[in-house]
Amino acid sequence: MVAPRLHWILPFGAALIVSPASVMAESDNTAEECEACAFEWEPRGYVEAGILWLEEDEPEFTDYRGFDRDGLFLNGAIDVIDRDEDGTYWSLQGRNLGLGSRSAAIHAGKQGTVNYFLDYQELNHNLYDSTKTAFSGVGSERLELSANWVRGDTTKDLPDLDLALREIDIELERRTLSTGLQFFQGENWDYDFQYTVDERDGTRLMGGSFLLRSAILPEPVDDITHRFDLSVGYLAKLWQLRLAYHGSFFDNDNKSLTWDNPFVVPGDAPRGRSAAAPDNRFNRLMLSGAFRPTRWFSGSGHIAVGRLEQDESFIPATINPSLGPVGLPRQDLDAEVNTLNARLRLTGNATRRLTLKAEGFFDERDNDTPVDSYRQVGTDLFLAELRENRPYSFDKSGGELSADYRLTNTTDISAGYGRERSEFTFQEVDATDTDSYFGELQTRPGERIELRVRLGWEDRDIDGGYDPLTIAPPENPLLRKFNLADRDRREIKISGNYYASAQLSFGLNSVYANDDYRNSSIGLTEARDTMVTLDASYSPDQSLNAYVYFTHQSIVSDIAGSESFGRPDWFAENDDTINAFGGGVQAREVVPHLELGVDLSYTRSRGTISIDSRTSDQEFPKLEADRFSTRIYGEYSLSDRWSYRLDYWLEYYDQEDFFIDGLAPDTSDNVLTANRESPDYLIHAVGISARYRF
């Protein structure tokens, strides 16, 4: 695969060696600029260069920040824009140019005539660095064990495991290159073209199994997505239209992953294979528009048709020679999904105080993939009965009516009703009907107070019966999937602001939601989500800003299950609680030429899973995570053009996750794990930079 890469060379060296004495002399002799003078048509902006030092390379800290190791890093930034009197312009921006997660962009054009751009971004996703594997060939489509590997019944019966284990990093890198052109024809027409190529490579973890034995495998990632967006628009005085095309084309360089079997299993499969994500494409054509024939009536809407296609050739159903060749009914899936969606919104002012709104929508997913009978292959070890694929389709339609009424100059009320009908194929239900209602009050009871209260109700009912799919092994007939089950939802939102003075303000934002799956005996039966945020900000003048906030969120889910494949005989409760606190201060010119800032945050999360059964009550170990992060910076301006900046970061993170903690590759008899560990670190980082403005 040819990777889209750009190399940015920026002349930052001079910024670090300029004599401070000459800078101070320049500052003393520089006349104060006149704000009322004519605009100077010349480039403006800044360039910045510096050094970053990272104490330790921890994926949880470096994730998405662009650090791929510890130690010293050169870094830089640029932001320049130039405008001429005739409306032409160009700009150049660059961020974190010395790090793995970097970006750069060039924009240029002439106002009201033509615009074009070129953007490039890199993003590093660091997942794990403590993982281990016994396989060689990491990053390829073939994972192999050593030639003298001795297979065993369990992980504790693998004599060569310790010697074969090697450390690997699990990480992904994404590179995105975008370019576009927009130009205008007269006062009515405009044309827009954009192209984006998005490339990913690296590794992620997946599971590969042989009946009751499995291994966590490093799966290679090497794919590229091309996206095209073209549109033409027409703007008139009272209406506008736009015709747009979107195309997305996914190309995966990896077709499958093959790995050696480390275990002795019935059937003696020497290796396994799993297909990778197939190449696919999506094309869509959309017509959208808006109109406003009078001052009191307006509307907007769109209609779009699309098609998803996938015809990647099948890999063999098995590579186990003892099973022999397994015939396939076709060479590829020949998948085709047609989409159609439309939406229309109308808004009208019935009176000076009353506004009415109406909205209707239709969303269709028509899966025309051929239905065939496929021989089931169980983990490359045995053959099962024939089974047909189920090309799932749905139709969703509905609408909403609402009204906004101004009771007084300080109080507004709103109310609305919505209905949605969803029809499905190859699902446990044929259709569901959802009715929703809401009421809202917005008021300003005083000059210093703003208050908003919103109540919501939503009832989803199955139209007909709930018939479990015929699959093997069968499902409990009392099980209800939460996305299809009968559900009553109640929600209340309260938010407000209190302005104690022109300098001091307080805010409140709270949400409570309850989902009751009233007819679900087995599965998710109830869920509750509570969130409250309090914040305050203080700004006595332009030189000082301060803020503080606190957020509490609690998510509780109730689940019922059955060991006897009948009525519920055990119950579980998942309870997740998150508390977050933060604050910061920014001070300018408290000390002449100096800007100081401090930002800190602390997040504490706790999760419990408790089980109540007929025989015993038990609780899994708690899931815990604590993060404290602070950033302190100071920027000193030597002159109107030169400044130097010092940044300091400190972050503490401690996580306890019983799913992975203490789980060495051979801890579980049946699973060869990857030795993941919960993060636990205290990291310091320092940055020094110089900035030149012009």
Side-chain angles (χ1 to χ4, degrees):
M1 179 179 297
V2 178
R5 297 186 182 275
L6 299 175
H7 298 278
W8 302 92
I9 303 176
L10 301 174
F12 289 130
L16 296 176
I17 60 175
V18 172
S19 168
S22 65
V23 172
M24 291 300 293
E26 175 189 347
S27 178
D28 293 339
N29 297 327
T30 300
E32 183 176 350
E33 293 186 5
C34 172
E35 296 183 357
C37 297
F39 186 81
E40 297 182 7
W41 302 100
E42 60 182 19
R44 293 174 175 267
Y46 68 85
V47 292
E48 183 175 359
I51 297 174
L52 292 172
W53 172 77
L54 179 65
E55 177 187 24
E56 188 177 355
D57 177 20
E58 280 285 348
E60 189 69 26
F61 179 83
T62 62
D63 194 21
Y64 297 117
R65 288 175 171 166
F67 298 102
D68 55 359
R69 55 175 174 79
D70 54 18
L72 290 174
F73 297 83
L74 291 176
N75 197 22
I78 186 170
D79 192 343
V80 181
I81 185 170
D82 181 31
R83 294 184 179 274
D84 292 334
E85 295 183 64
D86 62 355
T88 59
Y89 70 93
W90 65 267
S91 66
L92 173 64
Q93 293 90 30
R95 299 287 185 272
N96 296 324
L97 297 175
L99 304 181
S101 294
R102 71 194 81 186
S103 65
I106 300 174
H107 294 245
K110 185 174 183 179
Q111 186 174 353
T113 302
V114 62
N115 303 302
Y116 50 92
F117 71 89
L118 179 66
D119 289 355
Y120 177 72
Q121 293 185 355
E122 286 187 16
L123 193 63
N124 286 355
H125 185 21
N126 302 321
L127 296 168
Y128 313 104
D129 68 350
S130 62
T131 48
K132 295 181 179 180
T133 184
F135 295 93
S136 62
V138 174
S140 71
E141 297 182 71
R142 182 70 173 92
L143 298 177
E144 297 179 307
L145 297 168
S146 62
N148 57 355
W149 180 270
V150 178
R151 291 193 281 172
D153 291 332
T154 70
T155 57
K156 295 179 176 59
D157 302 321
L158 304 176
D160 303 313
L161 178 59
D162 290 339
L163 292 176
L165 287 174
R166 59 181 62 85
E167 292 187 355
I168 59 172
D169 292 336
I170 305 299
E171 58 187 6
L172 291 172
E173 182 177 346
R174 181 190 296 269
R175 293 177 292 273
T176 303
L177 180 66
S178 301
T179 186
L181 171 67
Q182 182 187 36
F183 62 93
F184 303 86
Q185 183 180 13
E187 298 181 354
N188 305 107
W189 293 93
D190 72 273
Y191 307 86
D192 197 353
F193 165 78
Q194 293 188 31
Y195 166 70
T196 301
V197 56
D198 195 347
E199 182 184 19
R200 301 185 307 164
D201 60 64
T203 54
R204 59 189 175 195
L205 297 179
M206 63 166 283
S209 64
F210 295 93
L211 196 57
L212 301 179
R213 302 290 185 269
S214 60
I216 305 301
L217 307 171
E219 177 191 9
V221 176
D222 189 1
D223 57 53
I224 188 168
T225 302
H226 301 272
R227 293 189 296 274
F228 299 87
D229 290 279
L230 299 89
S231 68
V232 55
Y234 185 85
L235 176 63
K237 183 177 181 180
L238 300 178
W239 56 274
Q240 63 184 42
L241 285 176
R242 179 166 295 276
L243 181 64
Y245 164 79
H246 171 76
S248 178
F249 304 88
F250 175 78
D251 181 17
N252 195 343
D253 272 8
N254 296 322
K255 304 307 176 185
S256 63
L257 178 63
T258 303
W259 66 96
D260 290 342
N261 180 10
F263 299 103
V264 174
V265 294
D268 195 30
R271 63 188 62 88
R273 178 181 289 170
S274 176
D279 297 348
N280 59 80
R281 54 197 177 274
F282 174 60
N283 293 277
R284 183 188 65 196
L285 193 64
M286 182 171 67
L287 178 66
S288 61
F291 59 92
R292 190 181 183 90
T294 67
R295 297 195 322 183
W296 53 269
F297 181 69
S298 63
S300 64
H302 74 264
I303 182 170
V305 293
R307 175 172 293 179
L308 300 96
E309 297 174 292
Q310 190 268 99
D311 53 8
E312 182 77 14
S313 297
F314 287 137
I315 64 173
T318 179
I319 56 172
N320 187 346
S322 65
L323 294 181
V326 177
L328 292 169
R330 54 194 317 114
Q331 295 297 316
D332 58 70
L333 186 61
D334 192 24
E336 181 179 296
V337 179
N338 297 303
T339 64
L340 171 64
N341 59 78
R343 186 174 295 268
L344 176 64
R345 299 182 181 94
L346 300 175
T347 302
N349 296 327
T351 68
R352 296 182 61 183
R353 292 182 176 271
L354 178 62
T355 300
L356 302 177
K357 300 177 183 178
E359 180 175 341
F361 68 89
F362 178 78
D363 189 5
E364 179 186 58
R365 173 192 172 105
D366 183 13
N367 196 332
D368 287 337
T369 302
V371 177
D372 291 286
S373 296
Y374 294 83
R375 176 67 63 184
Q376 297 183 77
V377 179
T379 65
D380 267 322
L381 290 177
F382 61 90
L383 301 180
E385 61 184 11
L386 292 171
R387 184 173 176 181
E388 290 185 343
N389 59 307
R390 302 176 184 273
Y392 162 62
S393 299
F394 67 77
D395 290 341
K396 296 183 179 181
S397 59
E400 181 178 293
L401 298 174
S402 63
D404 302 331
Y405 186 74
R406 168 151 291 192
L407 285 175
T408 67
N409 291 334
T410 60
T411 302
D412 297 334
I413 59 172
S414 303
Y417 166 75
R419 182 173 178 83
E420 177 181 303
R421 179 172 177 83
S422 302
E423 299 179 352
F424 310 95
T425 63
F426 295 107
Q427 297 291 296
E428 288 84 354
V429 302
D430 293 329
T432 61
D433 292 311
T434 303
D435 296 286
S436 59
Y437 312 83
F438 79 87
E440 182 175 308
L441 170 68
Q442 296 186 60
T443 184
R444 298 186 303 277
E447 293 183 356
R448 301 178 181 271
I449 300 176
E450 296 175 346
L451 180 63
R452 178 174 177 261
V453 180
R454 182 183 177 95
L455 303 176
W457 303 262
E458 185 177 285
D459 298 327
R460 183 176 65 202
D461 298 296
I462 297 174
D463 184 5
Y466 189 100
D467 299 319
L469 300 177
T470 304
I471 58 175
E475 291 182 349
N476 188 323
L478 297 179
L479 173 66
R480 297 293 180 266
K481 294 181 178 179
F482 71 90
N483 61 310
L484 297 174
D486 294 332
R487 183 194 66 193
D488 293 338
R489 169 172 291 177
R490 302 294 181 262
E491 184 179 66
I492 180 171
K493 298 180 180 180
I494 301 176
S495 61
N497 294 291
Y498 173 66
Y499 303 97
S501 66
Q503 297 80 29
L504 179 63
S505 64
F506 300 89
L508 164 69
N509 186 27
S510 62
V511 178
Y512 174 77
N514 179 277
D515 290 345
D516 180 13
Y517 298 86
R518 59 183 184 276
N519 292 324
S520 295
S521 299
I522 302 293
L524 181 63
T525 59
E526 188 175 3
R528 299 171 296 280
D529 188 350
T530 305
M531 189 275 291
V532 178
T533 296
L534 301 172
D535 64 80
S537 62
Y538 177 65
S539 181
D541 52 49
Q542 294 184 351
S543 65
L544 181 65
N545 293 292
Y547 71 93
V548 64
Y549 68 86
F550 172 76
T551 296
H552 168 81
Q553 185 172 19
S554 173
I555 304 172
V556 182
S557 303
D558 297 330
I559 302 171
S562 176
E563 295 182 358
S564 60
F565 202 74
R567 302 294 302 175
D569 52 29
W570 63 264
F571 304 89
E573 181 182 85
N574 290 1
D575 188 350
D576 297 319
T577 302
I578 304 100
N579 292 306
F581 166 82
V585 177
Q586 184 182 50
R588 303 182 186 91
E589 296 294 331
V590 175
V591 176
H593 309 295
L594 181 64
E595 178 180 331
L596 296 173
V598 178
D599 294 286
L600 61 87
S601 63
Y602 172 70
T603 303
R604 173 187 175 92
S605 63
R606 296 293 183 266
T608 60
I609 305 174
S610 56
I611 305 293
D612 179 8
S613 66
R614 294 177 178 177
T615 56
S616 65
D617 297 340
Q618 56 183 320
E619 185 173 293
F620 288 95
K622 283 188 176 182
L623 301 168
E624 301 182 358
D626 293 273
R627 184 197 297 269
F628 173 78
S629 180
T630 184
R631 181 177 72 100
I632 303 172
Y633 74 90
E635 183 170 354
Y636 185 76
S637 298
L638 294 176
S639 69
D640 292 337
R641 295 186 180 274
W642 285 97
S643 65
Y644 289 87
R645 182 183 175 103
L646 175 66
D647 289 89
Y648 169 72
W649 296 269
L650 179 145
E651 182 165 296
Y652 165 78
Y653 187 79
D654 182 23
Q655 177 180 304
E656 295 183 13
D657 185 349
F658 70 89
F659 285 101
I660 60 175
D661 290 342
L663 197 61
D666 60 352
T667 301
S668 172
D669 289 343
N670 300 332
V671 182
L672 181 60
T673 68
N675 199 61
R676 288 184 295 163
E677 297 177 358
S678 293
D680 181 7
Y681 62 80
L682 176 64
I683 284 182
H684 304 267
V686 178
I688 302 174
S689 62
R691 174 177 291 189
Y692 177 73
R693 298 178 179 86
F694 53 89

